[in-house]
Amino acid sequence: MDIVRLRPILLVGEPGAGKSRFAERLCDALSLPHETYSCGGVGDAALGGTARRWMSAEPSLPVSLIRRFRHASPGIILDEIEKVGTGCHNGNALDALLPMLEPLSGAHWYDPYIQAPVDLSHVVWIATAN
């Protein structure tokens, strides 16, 4: 099976229009293991992982899914991305996402937990917004 390479997809529409369900069904149709990450109320950069020196250390969301699904191209559905917090205490989710989504930096993204660069260029990113 060829690895899917898609640019980030943004689905915009009215609340209740079925954007999240469509994104899940798209991943199912592509046979991609996927997870929905609710962005509403997210106020830090935890999805980008945390360094091992912290008690709450964990890998980034994409690395965690790659490991859990044993699949280089998982789907990540960023649900209601417009509702992500914009504070800077413990980082900002949008600032953590930008280098993962950008094709060049995403291909050599440094995960602070595993302390090594990883190739996130095969991760399928789908965001929904109202």
Side-chain angles (χ1 to χ4, degrees):
M1 176 178 156
D2 291 333
I3 294 177
V4 176
R5 288 186 191 217
L6 296 173
R7 296 201 186 276
I9 299 167
L10 177 61
L11 303 174
V12 181
E14 295 297 317
K19 301 173 295 293
S20 301
R21 180 72 181 127
F22 177 80
E24 290 172 357
R25 294 194 67 185
L26 177 61
C27 288
D28 290 341
L30 295 172
S31 297
L32 293 177
H34 60 278
E35 183 168 297
T36 299
Y37 184 81
S38 180
C39 293
V42 172
D44 61 17
L47 67 93
T50 50
R52 287 181 183 237
R53 68 181 171 267
W54 300 106
M55 188 172 90
S56 61
E58 61 182 27
S60 63
L61 178 62
V63 170
S64 177
L65 294 179
I66 290 168
R67 182 178 67 184
R68 186 173 77 200
F69 295 137
R70 298 186 183 281
H71 197 284
S73 186
I76 299 176
I77 301 166
L78 302 168
D79 197 31
E80 298 185 334
I81 196 165
E82 82 282 8
K83 293 183 177 139
V84 74
T86 57
C88 292
H89 182 69
N90 293 329
N92 179 294
L94 296 176
D95 291 341
L97 275 171
L98 182 61
M100 291 186 218
L101 297 174
E102 198 276 320
L104 188 59
S105 61
H108 305 284
W109 188 78
Y110 184 85
D111 187 284
Y113 180 79
I114 63 172
Q115 300 175 346
V118 292
D119 183 358
L120 301 180
S121 65
H122 301 289
V123 174
V124 176
W125 297 92
I126 304 173
T128 69
N130 294 324

